[in-house]
Amino acid sequence: MSLQRFTITTQTNSKLLHYSVALMLCVLMFSSCNIVKRVKTDEHLITNNTILEDGKRITSERINNIVVQRTNSGMRKFLSFPLKLHIYNLARPNIDSILNANILSDSSKVKRRIALLSKKQFDKQIDSKRNFNAWLKRTGEAPVIYNEDKTIKTASNLRKYYHSNGWFNNNITYEVAKDSNQLAQVTYKVTKHKPYVLDSIHPSISSPAIDSLYNTFSKASLLIKGEQYNELNYENERERINTFLRNSGFYHFGQDYIRFKIDTIDTNHKVHTDIIIANRTIRGDDSTTTTPFKVYKIKEVNIFTDDNYNNREKAISDTTTYNNINLYSKEKLRFKPKALTDAVFINKGDTYSYLAQSRTSRHLNDLQMFRYPNIDFVENEEDTTLTANIYLEPKKKYGLSFDSDINQSNIQTIGFSFSSGLKIRNIFRGAETLEISGVAAIGASKTRNDPEAAFFDINEFGGNIRLTIPRLLSPFNTDKIIPKYMSPSTAMNISMTSQQNIGLDKQALSGNYSYNWYPSTTVTNTLELFNVNFVKNLNTSNYFGVYTNSFSSLNTIAQDNNYIGSDESLYNSSLASPYSPADVFIDDVLSGNVSLSSDDYDTVNTIDERKERLTENNLIFSTSFDYKKDKRKSIFDNNFSVFKWRIELAGNLLSTISNLSGATKNDVDNYEVFGVAFSQYIKTEFDYVKYVDLGRKNVFAFRSYAGIAIPYGNSNSIPFAESFFAGGPNDNRAWSAYNLGPGSSKSTNEFNEANFKLHLSAEQRFSLFGAFQGALFIDAGNIWNVLDNVEEEAATLTNFSSLKDIAVGSGFGLRYDFDFFVLRFDVGLKTYDPSQSDNKRWFRDYNFRNAVYNIGINYPF
């Protein structure tokens, strides 16, 4: 069963809420008086650790993390409520003695309970009490009792920290304040004194080959004269030198051969450094010798293309050489030689380079053709050369997958979907991957009124074909612009989908041709040379059946103006059906047959313009570029940033061809292709996410987003699929999806969208207990129309004063971490609502009755 993201709003009795909040506050007040419940009479609970640096309090998490004996979670945080400590205090330290005294020691009581429950249920009841008590201890957190030895160790660690950062003569003292309530506060006092700075740096290098390169690799040294001593710079310098030498042919070199000797005696706070690089040490069975390091070159490069356990006894039967690389196969060679040699950066005659070795491993993995590629270097005894042997074990050529989902949404009571996929590796012998997938879905709509109609009246079918080629397929030589170490690839994709009884019953056909490459380990680039999307609406007559709010607005205007059409039985003084009568009413209004007030006329005109835009078929022929820089090192990294930028140009090629060919325009002055007016616009988006690790599972996360799509040429509006919306579980959580904006308008549309968007989010995430996490968040943003055909002032961004319509939502959340995904529950409260009048925007509906409750999978950003 798939977990769907959805948003709900519930009604809450305000009096009950007030009583609940008051009760919670009372519980917090009374429970906070009992935090020393499990502290022995001769012990003290640590409530605070303070570090004073030259008299000033240190707030740096890096330095505060040095403290060995941390306070309980939540102490001095989260309303000074150590939740985990209180949970632990609920556990009974002597549960077995209590059970024995209250129940088990009384044989008559035991017999009565067994007679009532049975022996098996009685034993389970006793075990459940023990297990619950154990769960309280596991989930909670034992009180942190002041320990002198740990305080001394903290002082020692602080002394080492400041010493490692150049304050060699620092002085660390501490004071412990204990009170009669068995509480203790520890204050560490740091006196730094004058720091030491780097002065002279002298090399002492034993191997002549390395010594000859010193002037080259020392230019980028991290040890700079005049800078304050920092031990981390020495560690990084050791790693930098090692990397340089390993990439300069010194195959046997390692960091252990580099050490630093520093002198600070009578130097007037100056640090004199000797960089010592020793000769190579060779250890034999019973002896050790040293020899100067030598530069190694690559003598041969061999690729064993079908190495596995099953054919280990077979002899080589197929051999070829391509680009000075030997390829061996025990069966017929399955791959074109170029497909494999393009992924190899170790070249015959080159100086050994660890970078070339690591790039080769990464690129062979990126092909997704082999299991754990292995590179082995064999040293040739007669000279200083290496033979590189690359062992490859191909994966199975075919891979088949199946998947099924049960889902629910705002348009269907229940739905089932089935999908399957076929992956064919090395389909053209060039390490290409062909993926063919299909999906079929059926569902029961919530609006099904005909009892004779099939229960499953919703269906959707689709298919997708994707071919990935591990190089740039281009008539031009792109090696100098995008060299092969950037893992360039080409992707071609075609997909088709068809929907019935979903909205306007769309049919869609899309295809794209794109290039992907990775300039570095953190940067990803994607260039879509062309992306074609064609969307055809099959059931436009159902527009007002889908967009019922628009129909209700028309119906209200018709009733207020006593509108009666040509068939009174059909209209019955209103628009009795959400189909053709609404269209007739619009035609009557716009043609002047019905006289309305200016406001009502504008409303009808706006609804008609929106209907025309959302029911028209779309043809989008675009080119786009995506840039992504992701500094996250692993899924456990909580201190990183991600920046994304995208720019898209649509319609320019078709517009140029139409101009040059002298094509005629339609009635609204637009060019058409296959009877459809193609879209022309420029669209760009910026997205920046920053995580700051505050320690102890506390993370501050921030997101900023801006996007704009400007129509021009053949378009005066943006296709619905390319517009922006606001609200929802991953946006402004105080509004449900599509319900916010545009601007300060009081729109009642089911789907509010516009062509300009700003969004900001800040979220403080913290650990509660066990796998449960909490969050406090603020979301701000909105959507507006700009430089298009929308004229409504409230929905349009006219100048900087329109930014006062930025909506602000705030709230809190509860999350449960399942390791492989996070289940999220967020409560969003409307803090600043731009749709209200100017003097009623702040905290107008700031209550749980008008809150939006969001359930989602994983974090919102």
Side-chain angles (χ1 to χ4, degrees):
M1 179 179 293
S2 65
L3 293 169
Q4 303 295 317
R5 290 179 175 172
F6 59 93
T7 306
I8 59 175
T9 302
T10 63
Q11 303 296 318
T12 305
N13 186 286
S14 60
K15 290 185 178 180
L16 179 60
L17 174 63
H18 294 157
Y19 292 144
S20 301
V21 173
L23 178 61
M24 182 178 295
L25 290 175
C26 291
V27 171
L28 295 181
M29 289 171 60
F30 283 113
S31 60
S32 63
C33 299
N34 201 26
I35 59 176
V36 295
K37 181 178 180 179
R38 302 300 180 199
V39 179
K40 297 178 181 179
T41 55
D42 59 340
E43 296 176 337
H44 289 78
L45 176 73
I46 296 183
T47 60
N48 193 31
N49 289 303
T50 303
I51 300 176
L52 299 178
E53 185 184 276
D54 293 333
K56 296 181 180 180
R57 181 168 183 168
I58 293 297
T59 58
S60 167
E61 192 72 22
R62 170 67 183 88
I63 299 178
N64 279 280
N65 281 338
I66 296 174
V67 177
V68 175
Q69 199 171 22
R70 310 290 295 277
T71 59
N72 287 99
S73 302
M75 196 74 72
R76 300 295 179 187
K77 294 179 181 179
F78 195 50
L79 301 178
S80 298
F81 183 65
L83 178 61
K84 290 187 177 181
L85 175 58
H86 284 296
I87 293 175
Y88 182 89
N89 286 342
L90 292 174
R92 308 300 291 270
N94 52 343
I95 185 66
D96 289 327
S97 300
I98 293 173
L99 290 174
N100 186 65
N102 295 340
I103 302 175
L104 299 178
S105 62
D106 190 337
S107 58
S108 60
K109 185 181 291 187
V110 172
K111 289 180 180 179
R112 286 197 304 270
R113 294 200 176 189
I114 290 177
L116 181 65
L117 300 173
S118 82
K119 179 67 166 63
K120 185 176 182 180
Q121 289 182 336
F122 173 75
D123 291 340
K124 285 186 175 181
Q125 187 183 67
I126 297 299
D127 287 341
S128 68
K129 293 180 181 293
R130 291 193 180 100
N131 293 336
F132 179 69
N133 197 75
W135 178 84
L136 289 173
K137 287 186 175 182
R138 289 195 310 271
T139 305
E141 192 175 75
V144 179
I145 307 302
Y146 172 73
N147 183 291
E148 180 77 15
D149 292 337
K150 292 182 178 180
T151 303
I152 294 173
K153 185 175 182 180
T154 296
S156 176
N157 289 346
L158 286 169
R159 190 173 296 111
K160 292 176 182 177
Y161 171 80
Y162 283 94
H163 184 279
S164 68
N165 283 275
W167 291 285
F168 293 163
N169 300 324
N170 70 79
N171 183 48
I172 311 293
T173 60
Y174 63 87
E175 295 177 357
V176 184
K178 301 178 181 179
D179 61 25
S180 58
N181 294 322
Q182 294 183 267
L183 303 178
Q185 298 187 35
V186 184
T187 302
Y188 299 92
K189 296 183 178 181
V190 180
T191 304
K192 294 186 297 185
H193 296 298
K194 186 177 180 179
Y196 280 70
V197 298
L198 272 62
D199 192 52
S200 60
I201 300 174
H202 299 290
S204 178
I205 303 174
S206 301
S207 299
I210 296 178
D211 187 48
S212 66
L213 296 176
Y214 176 75
N215 289 335
T216 301
F217 67 74
S218 63
K219 292 179 181 179
S221 176
L222 302 177
L223 306 179
I224 301 173
K225 183 177 179 179
E227 287 192 355
Q228 185 170 326
Y229 174 90
N230 188 320
E231 188 176 285
L232 183 61
N233 287 342
Y234 282 79
E235 296 176 6
N236 292 337
E237 177 68 0
R238 178 184 285 110
E239 182 178 349
R240 188 192 68 84
I241 295 174
N242 175 67
T243 300
F244 179 87
L245 295 177
R246 289 276 288 168
N247 290 330
S248 300
F250 297 96
Y251 173 69
H252 292 288
F253 196 82
Q255 285 193 41
D256 292 343
Y257 289 104
I258 306 172
R259 63 188 180 92
F260 299 99
K261 182 179 179 181
I262 63 173
D263 179 19
T264 59
I265 300 176
D266 297 329
T267 61
N268 191 24
H269 292 86
K270 301 290 180 63
V271 178
H272 301 302
T273 304
D274 290 334
I275 301 176
I276 301 172
I277 302 179
N279 278 330
R280 177 189 173 194
T281 300
I282 303 175
R283 291 179 174 84
D285 294 335
D286 53 5
S287 63
T288 300
T289 59
T290 59
T291 183
F293 281 100
K294 297 178 181 178
V295 174
Y296 282 77
K297 290 184 175 294
I298 304 300
K299 186 175 184 178
E300 294 287 345
V301 181
N302 304 317
I303 302 178
F304 298 89
T305 63
D306 55 357
D307 181 74
N308 60 64
Y309 182 80
N310 293 329
N311 66 7
R312 64 189 183 281
E313 303 297 335
K314 290 185 179 180
I316 301 295
S317 63
D318 195 355
T319 303
T320 188
T321 300
Y322 188 86
N323 283 346
N324 289 322
I325 296 177
N326 305 314
L327 294 92
Y328 300 98
S329 180
K330 295 180 179 180
E331 298 176 356
K332 183 174 178 59
L333 186 62
R334 304 180 191 176
F335 297 87
K336 294 178 181 178
K338 188 178 187 308
L340 299 182
T341 58
D342 277 355
V344 176
F345 296 84
I346 306 168
N347 299 311
K348 181 177 181 179
D350 284 359
T351 300
Y352 167 80
S353 168
Y354 180 76
L355 178 61
Q357 178 183 344
S358 60
R359 281 178 174 172
T360 300
S361 294
R362 180 164 65 88
H363 282 65
L364 288 171
N365 273 305
D366 289 344
L367 292 178
Q368 299 184 31
M369 296 286 136
F370 310 102
R371 294 186 179 91
Y372 314 114
N374 179 43
I375 304 175
D376 183 31
F377 289 91
V378 179
E379 186 176 354
N380 300 304
E381 297 182 356
E382 65 274 9
D383 54 19
T384 55
T385 61
L386 300 169
T387 297
N389 295 321
I390 302 172
Y391 299 95
L392 305 177
E393 180 183 355
K395 294 180 179 179
K396 292 182 178 180
K397 185 177 182 67
Y398 299 98
L400 194 60
S401 63
F402 295 94
D403 194 15
S404 62
D405 282 332
I406 302 175
N407 47 65
Q408 190 178 28
S409 70
N410 61 336
I411 66 170
Q412 62 182 6
T413 305
I414 190 170
F416 301 90
S417 65
F418 309 89
S419 61
S420 63
L422 173 65
K423 178 182 285 189
I424 307 175
R425 298 182 178 90
N426 195 36
I427 185 170
F428 302 122
R429 297 184 63 240
E432 307 90 353
T433 301
L434 179 66
E435 297 173 85
I436 304 173
S437 61
V439 61
I442 58 174
S445 67
K446 291 183 177 180
T447 58
R448 187 173 65 94
N449 297 319
D450 185 358
E452 297 182 0
F455 179 75
F456 291 107
D457 57 338
I458 292 176
N459 64 68
E460 181 176 4
F461 299 95
N464 186 80
I465 301 175
R466 180 181 178 85
L467 177 64
T468 303
I469 303 171
R471 55 194 162 275
L472 295 188
L473 201 61
S474 168
F476 310 104
N477 187 351
T478 60
D479 290 345
K480 292 184 178 180
I481 303 173
I482 306 175
K484 68 176 185 177
Y485 76 79
M486 294 184 181
S487 293
S489 64
T490 303
M492 291 173 275
N493 195 85
I494 298 176
S495 63
M496 297 177 62
T497 58
S498 177
Q499 299 174 341
Q500 183 175 346
N501 286 338
I502 301 178
L504 303 180
D505 296 354
K506 298 179 183 294
Q507 286 184 346
L509 173 65
S510 65
N512 66 62
Y513 188 97
S514 64
Y515 294 146
N516 303 272
W517 67 97
Y518 307 88
S520 69
T521 55
T522 60
V523 175
T524 302
N525 289 335
T526 301
L527 173 64
E528 284 192 341
L529 285 182
F530 64 82
N531 187 327
V532 181
N533 283 283
F534 174 70
V535 178
K536 183 178 182 180
N537 296 302
L538 303 178
N539 191 14
T540 57
S541 62
N542 189 39
Y543 178 83
F544 289 111
V546 175
Y547 300 95
T548 56
N549 287 350
S550 295
F551 171 74
S552 297
S553 297
L554 290 175
N555 200 34
T556 300
I557 294 173
Q559 289 178 336
D560 291 346
N561 289 273
N562 297 317
Y563 173 75
I564 299 177
S566 58
D567 186 348
E568 293 188 20
S569 62
L570 178 64
Y571 290 91
N572 193 24
S573 298
S574 66
L575 309 182
S577 170
Y579 299 107
S580 58
D583 293 323
V584 173
F585 175 64
I586 292 175
D587 291 340
D588 283 346
V589 170
L590 299 182
S591 62
N593 295 332
V594 177
S595 178
L596 300 178
S597 67
S598 60
D599 289 342
D600 286 346
Y601 181 88
D602 290 341
T603 299
V604 174
N605 187 53
T606 299
I607 290 174
D608 181 61
E609 289 179 348
R610 178 177 168 84
K611 175 178 178 292
E612 289 298 318
R613 188 161 70 90
L614 298 187
T615 57
E616 67 182 1
N617 298 329
N618 294 131
L619 175 61
I620 303 173
F621 195 104
S622 66
T623 298
S624 65
F625 175 75
D626 288 81
Y627 172 89
K628 178 181 178 181
K629 187 169 187 177
D630 187 348
K631 294 185 177 181
R632 189 167 194 170
K633 297 177 182 178
S634 70
I635 59 173
F636 305 105
D637 185 9
N638 282 319
N639 198 33
F640 66 93
S641 64
V642 179
F643 174 73
K644 300 177 184 177
W645 174 58
R646 173 180 173 84
I647 186 168
E648 179 182 5
L649 290 168
N652 290 350
L653 179 61
L654 295 181
S655 178
T656 302
I657 294 174
S658 298
N659 275 319
L660 294 177
S661 62
T664 58
K665 294 185 177 182
N666 60 17
D667 296 339
V668 291
D669 200 34
N670 288 332
Y671 291 116
E672 292 184 348
V673 175
F674 303 122
V676 179
F678 57 85
S679 300
Q680 190 170 10
Y681 60 85
I682 179 172
K683 181 179 181 180
T684 187
E685 299 171 80
F686 298 88
D687 194 356
Y688 177 76
V689 173
K690 175 65 178 178
Y691 277 42
V692 180
D693 192 344
L694 302 177
R696 303 187 75 176
K697 298 183 179 180
N698 283 269
V699 176
F700 177 76
F702 171 80
R703 183 194 182 199
S704 60
Y705 174 90
I708 187 172
I710 302 174
Y712 64 95
N714 210 55
S715 298
N716 55 15
S717 63
I718 298 298
F720 180 81
E722 296 295 331
S723 58
F724 303 102
F725 72 92
N730 299 310
D731 197 79
N732 198 320
R733 284 160 279 186
W735 282 263
S736 55
Y738 292 98
N739 272 5
L740 176 58
S744 60
S745 62
K746 296 179 174 61
S747 174
T748 58
N749 293 323
E750 288 84 357
F751 303 101
N752 293 311
E753 40 79 36
N755 66 326
F756 177 67
K757 178 176 180 177
L758 290 176
H759 177 75
L760 298 169
S761 280
E763 185 168 282
Q764 177 68 48
R765 302 167 186 166
F766 48 87
S767 174
L768 290 176
F769 54 88
F772 283 98
Q773 301 172 356
L776 300 173
F777 61 82
I778 296 177
D779 300 323
N782 208 333
I783 55 174
W784 294 266
N785 290 96
V786 59
L787 302 176
D788 63 0
N789 61 347
V790 176
E791 298 178 355
E792 184 183 357
E793 184 177 352
T796 305
L797 183 75
T798 54
N799 49 49
F800 282 107
S801 64
S802 298
L803 296 180
K804 72 179 186 299
D805 296 333
I806 289 179
V808 179
S810 58
F812 57 91
L814 180 68
R815 291 85 190 272
Y816 188 87
D817 190 349
F818 287 93
D819 290 335
F820 53 94
F821 74 92
V822 174
L823 180 62
R824 172 167 53 92
F825 174 72
D826 289 330
V827 180
L829 301 164
K830 294 178 176 63
T831 309
Y832 178 85
D833 187 353
S835 67
Q836 302 290 343
S837 56
D838 287 346
N839 60 342
K840 296 181 179 180
R841 291 185 172 186
W842 284 104
F843 303 103
R844 173 69 173 177
D845 294 317
Y846 199 81
N847 51 61
F848 288 103
R849 181 190 307 170
N850 294 290
V852 174
Y853 298 86
N854 303 278
I855 295 178
I857 303 298
N858 293 326
Y859 295 111
F861 56 90

